[in-house]
Amino acid sequence: MSRVVTVEVVDLDATGWLLDADTGEPVPEAWLRHYFAERLAPPVWATDIFVYVHGWQTSPDSAYRTAERLLALMQGVRATAPARYPALAAKGFNPWCVVVRWPSSSLVTPTGYRRIRDRAHAMGACDRGGHAAHILGRLLGYLDAERADPGAAPVLANRDGQYLHLVGHSFGCRFLCEAVQWSADARLGDTLGWSVTDHSPSRPFTADSMLLFQMAASRDAFLSLFPNILPSEAHDGAPLRGPVVATYSRHDRATGFWHLRAEQQPGIGHSGIGPAPAPMFTTPLLPLDERYPHSALDHRFVNVDASDVYVRGRHLNPAGAHSDHVRAESAHLLLTLADYSR
C-alpha cells in the first residue's frame, strides 16, 4: 500500500509543465484532468490527502523521502497519544500524499538563490505565463468536475469525503499560494470545521489547511505576490477553508542571510509573515505533550515560531535550519490542523 505518489513539473521555456511518467513528454493542458484521474485518484482507504511541494536544493529522491518521513512521523506521534487528537480518534486518520517535484537545485550562493527564486516565480505566476500554478490548480480541483461520474474517485474535502491539506517548503510555498489563487477562478470549494471562512453551499470543494514550512518569500508576500488569497470586492478569494499557517526560525539562513541579500529584506521563513490583509496570530511550535488551543490556529494567518526547534544545520550548512522541518513537532502541528479540520 503506497502512501506517497509523485508528479513531476519540468521547467519548459521557464513556464513549467507536467511530465508524463510514461512518455517523458509534457502533458497538454487539455489532458490534465484525464491524466490526474488515471494516475492520481486517491485510494478509497485514504481519509486525508496531503499535497507536498518541496523547496530549494531538493532532489527528486529527497522530496519523496521527506514526504515519507513526514507521514511516518505523523503516524508515530499519533500512535503515542491518540487522545491528543480526538477528532482523528473518532473519525479515523489514514493519510495519502501527492509530492509535486520540480527542478530546484542551484549553487548555494546569492546568485543561485536568485536563480531558483526567479524560476519558481516564472513557473508559478499565472499572470506571467507560468503553467505550474495551473497544474496544481487542476490537481486540487479535478475531482470537483469529475464527481458526477460514478466511475470517478471519491470527492475530496466534502462533508462525506476526504480532507485535503496543502504543505509547502521554501520556494514550494510560492507554488501552492499561486495555485490556490488560480483555483479560485474555477469557483471550487468550501467545507468543514474552521470559522475563518464562511460556508457557501455553491462551493463544495476546498483545501482544509495550508501549512508553509520556512517560506522563501518576502514578509509582505500576501499583499504583494498573493493578494487574492482572501476575498475582496474584486476577487472571490482562494478556495481555502482553513488558516494559512507559516513556520519561521531565526536560524534559517536561507531566508535570512540569502534572502536579505537577494531581496533586501528577510523572508517569511526567518521572520514570519509581516504585513498581511488580515490580522495575524503568533504561537510557538509546541512540544508533543502540549495541545494547540483551537483559538491559536483558527485565524486567517498564523505565524508559528519554530526558533527553539528548527536549529540543526545553522553552524555547518550555508542554509542554516532552512530544511530542519522534518521533526516530530512538525508532525504534531500537521496532525492538529487535520484534527481541527473535522
Side-chain angles (χ1 to χ4, degrees), residues 284-300:
L285 185 67
L286 294 180
L288 303 187
D289 59 355
E290 190 172 346
R291 181 170 167 80
Y292 289 89
H294 187 268
S295 59
L297 298 174
D298 193 27
H299 304 272
R300 296 280 194 177

Side-chain angles (χ1 to χ4, degrees), residues 55-257:
W56 188 35
Q57 292 294 94
T58 304
S59 69
D61 287 345
S62 178
Y64 186 90
R65 290 194 302 270
T66 295
E68 283 191 317
R69 290 171 62 196
L70 283 172
L71 291 189
L73 283 168
M74 282 193 281
Q75 296 287 55
V77 167
R78 180 172 173 258
T80 61
R84 190 176 295 130
Y85 315 101
L88 301 187
K91 299 184 178 181
F93 179 72
N94 210 359
W96 181 74
C97 184
V98 178
V99 180
V100 179
R101 304 192 294 195
W102 59 283
S104 68
S105 296
S106 73
L107 295 175
V108 185
T109 63
T111 299
Y113 187 88
R114 284 192 290 266
R115 177 176 173 233
I116 299 304
R117 176 203 64 187
D118 293 344
R119 174 181 292 169
H121 185 66
M123 290 173 67
C126 295
D127 60 349
R128 299 192 181 188
H131 198 66
H134 289 263
I135 293 170
L136 280 179
R138 292 291 182 87
L139 174 60
L140 303 184
Y142 85 97
L143 285 181
D144 184 63
E146 299 291 335
R147 61 183 174 153
D149 179 358
V155 177
L156 290 180
N158 67 11
R159 293 181 182 276
D160 301 313
Q162 297 157 308
Y163 298 81
L164 177 64
H165 310 283
L166 311 182
V167 184
H169 173 237
S170 182
F171 285 116
C173 302
R174 293 188 182 222
F175 284 109
L176 284 178
C177 290
E178 287 284 0
V180 294
Q181 282 195 141
W182 180 82
S183 298
D185 293 336
R187 297 185 177 274
L188 312 170
D190 193 20
T191 188
L192 302 171
W194 300 102
S195 68
V196 293
T197 303
D198 294 333
H199 286 280
S200 171
S202 66
R203 302 180 74 185
F205 176 90
T206 192
D208 293 289
S209 70
M210 183 158 70
L211 178 54
L212 308 173
F213 287 117
Q214 306 306 113
M215 184 172 183
S218 300
R219 299 191 68 204
D220 66 352
F222 291 96
L223 291 176
S224 59
L225 295 178
F226 315 115
N228 295 325
I229 290 288
L230 299 188
S232 67
E233 292 183 0
H235 198 275
D236 289 340
L240 179 63
R241 174 62 181 165
V244 176
V245 181
T247 67
Y248 69 95
S249 169
R250 64 181 180 274
H251 306 299
D252 182 342
R253 284 211 299 269
T255 58
F257 179 87

Side-chain angles (χ1 to χ4, degrees), residues 284-328:
L285 185 67
L286 294 180
L288 303 187
D289 59 355
E290 190 172 346
R291 181 170 167 80
Y292 289 89
H294 187 268
S295 59
L297 298 174
D298 193 27
H299 304 272
R300 296 280 194 177
F301 295 96
V302 180
N303 276 324
V304 176
D305 185 352
S307 297
D308 291 338
V309 180
Y310 298 171
V311 297
R312 287 192 297 231
R314 67 182 187 272
H315 297 306
L316 301 177
N317 189 329
H322 184 60
S323 297
D324 196 19
H325 62 293
V326 187
R327 296 272 200 153

